[in-house]
Structure formats: structure tokens, C-alpha cells
Amino acid sequence: MNSTILIVDAEREYAEYIELFLKNENYSIHKCDTAEEALRCLDSVRPDLAIMDVTLPGMDGFALCRHIRETSYFPIIMLSARDEEIDRITALALGADDYLTKPCRPLELVARVKAQLRRYTTYNRDPQQEDDKIVFAGLLLNRNSHECFLNGNLLPLTPTEFSILWLLSENRGQVVSSEKLFQEVWGEKYYSHNTNTVMVHIRNLREKLNDSAESPTYIKTVRGVGYKMDP
């Protein structure tokens, strides 16, 4: 089945431009001009991924992302004409999986869509295998159902957060560098400015795990190197 993508952008010409490239990849597209229209669309459409602009009339993209993350965990790629680090950090902190500055190169956007969908579908695949579960220290990660439980309680992790936690859990006892985290999870070459991207997602994970950076139970920072989880 072809993946369904929701595009939320008040610039109709730009949305149609993106749609053209995505349809060439056989994706099914739903377009909305406003956040309110997108929320109504979500009542009947279950997208596999959303691409949304930060700047929208009425409710902005940040607020829309927050609303979506209350109930859904499909990948979200946010777009903005403003190349401000604070916007990127805000988007990631609210649960977005990726962030691109407009006008972005369409082939780069398509590549990022494919990467997000590949990770999302990989962690929701059907075959049942023992190595698709990790259990330790009150955590249970199930890669088939893309679920993480902490002491029996389901944690609302985004696809990116789950990917990071799985990678760290899979490498318990070893330090995973920020560079490796980014390359493995985002599937792209690491640059120094990507450090904030990793840090924001680690911070979000710690909050959901009720963890502390100062006295962590799960995710420990190894300064100047990366992160680790003890066996």
C-alpha cells in the first residue's frame, strides 16, 4: 500500500510543487491550507507522515504539532522560511522528527520523507522475532509494535525518539557518539550544528522517562563523546 502524506502549507503553489515530486514517488497526498483544516482532515485520514509549515494563518505549525502529538506518533517534518536555530529547537522539542528551511530542495525533501517512512515502517513491521524486543530496568521496547513501556506504562514516543532509545538500549554499556546517533537515526552525514538536534531529542526522551541529566537512571551523558545506557 502506498504511504499517505499530509501537507499543511498556506502557500498553495509551494504545496503543489512539493506534491508533484511526492506523487512521482507514488505517495498519496492530502493538502490543507490551515491547521484547523488539517485537524479536521485527521478525523478521517490517517497519514503515515505529515509535512507542515511553521507559519500558518490562525493556529501556527508549532501548535498543530503539539495537538497531533497528543494522540498520534507518525513522523512530522516541519518547514519554515526562517532559518533560526530557536525555531528548529522548538519544533523538535514539540515532537517534530525533522526540520527544513524553505525553500528546500525537493529531492532533499523526498529523501528525508523516505528516510522517516523507512524508519517508521521498519519499527512497525509484522514478523515476530525475539531480537525485536528489549527488556531491562523496567523498560520494554517492542520494535514490531513500535511501543515502549516503562514499568508497565506506555510511553508516547515519536518515531525518532523510539529510534534513539532503541539504538542506545541495543548498545547498553557502550558510549554511542552524537555523530553515530545522528547518522544511524537520521541517515545523514553529521555536522557540528546537528548537535542541538540530538540534544533536544535526548532531553525529550529524558522527560518522558522521568529521567534527570544530573542524576540519570537511563540515559547518561559522556561529555565530549556522546550518550550511554548501563546494562
Side-chain angles (χ1 to χ4, degrees):
M1 184 183 298
N2 295 335
S3 296
T4 299
I5 297 177
L6 174 66
I7 300 174
V8 189
D9 198 316
E11 297 182 58
R12 293 190 178 183
E13 289 186 4
Y14 192 77
E16 290 171 357
Y17 180 61
I18 293 174
E19 179 184 23
L20 178 64
F21 283 87
L22 292 172
K23 279 192 170 181
N24 284 339
E25 301 294 331
N26 295 318
Y27 295 125
S28 175
I29 307 298
H30 291 267
K31 299 194 303 295
C32 297
D33 297 333
T34 67
E36 290 80 6
E37 183 184 352
L39 290 174
R40 290 194 296 272
C41 179
L42 289 173
D43 289 335
S44 57
V45 176
R46 297 184 66 84
D48 298 292
L49 179 144
I51 301 170
M52 60 181 68
D53 194 359
V54 169
T55 306
L56 296 170
M59 182 191 300
D60 66 16
F62 292 141
L64 176 58
C65 182
R66 186 185 300 111
H67 273 279
I68 290 175
R69 281 294 176 248
E70 289 175 357
T71 57
S72 301
Y73 308 109
F74 54 77
I76 294 175
I77 298 176
M78 298 205 73
L79 306 177
S80 176
R82 301 180 299 189
D83 187 16
E84 298 290 339
E85 188 69 17
I86 186 62
D87 285 350
R88 180 184 300 273
I89 292 173
T90 300
L92 298 175
L94 289 172
D97 297 278
D98 206 347
Y99 182 100
L100 284 170
T101 303
K102 294 172 66 177
C104 56
R105 292 173 294 180
L107 293 182
E108 179 183 2
L109 177 59
V110 169
R112 296 200 183 206
V113 165
K114 288 182 177 180
Q116 290 293 338
L117 287 173
R118 184 166 57 247
R119 182 165 64 251
Y120 186 54
T121 53
T122 294
Y123 290 138
N124 285 278
R125 64 189 187 279
D126 293 332
Q128 296 290 324
Q129 299 178 11
E130 283 301 314
D131 61 2
D132 284 330
K133 290 184 180 179
I134 295 176
V135 181
F136 78 103
L139 278 176
L140 188 157
L141 287 82
N142 187 326
R143 193 159 61 172
N144 291 315
S145 62
H146 196 259
E147 292 178 323
C148 175
F149 294 87
L150 175 61
N151 297 323
N153 298 312
L154 180 64
L155 299 183
L157 303 187
T158 68
T160 300
E161 290 166 356
F162 186 93
S163 300
I164 292 172
L165 190 57
W166 180 274
L167 183 61
L168 291 174
S169 300
E170 199 173 33
N171 291 276
R172 294 190 303 283
Q174 303 176 44
V175 179
V176 180
S177 68
S178 297
E179 179 177 355
K180 180 177 179 179
L181 263 177
F182 191 84
Q183 290 176 340
E184 292 281 339
V185 173
W186 279 266
E188 300 175 19
K189 187 174 181 180
Y190 177 84
Y191 296 99
S192 58
H193 68 266
N194 297 131
T195 300
N196 279 340
T197 299
V198 174
M199 287 175 59
V200 170
H201 280 89
I202 292 291
R203 184 181 67 194
N204 291 346
L205 269 173
R206 282 176 170 153
E207 288 180 0
K208 293 179 180 182
L209 290 166
N210 294 318
D211 214 0
S212 164
E214 294 73 24
S215 182
T217 300
Y218 293 103
I219 303 176
K220 299 182 179 180
T221 300
V222 181
R223 296 194 179 280
V225 184
Y227 304 92
K228 67 176 290 191
M229 298 180 77
D230 288 334

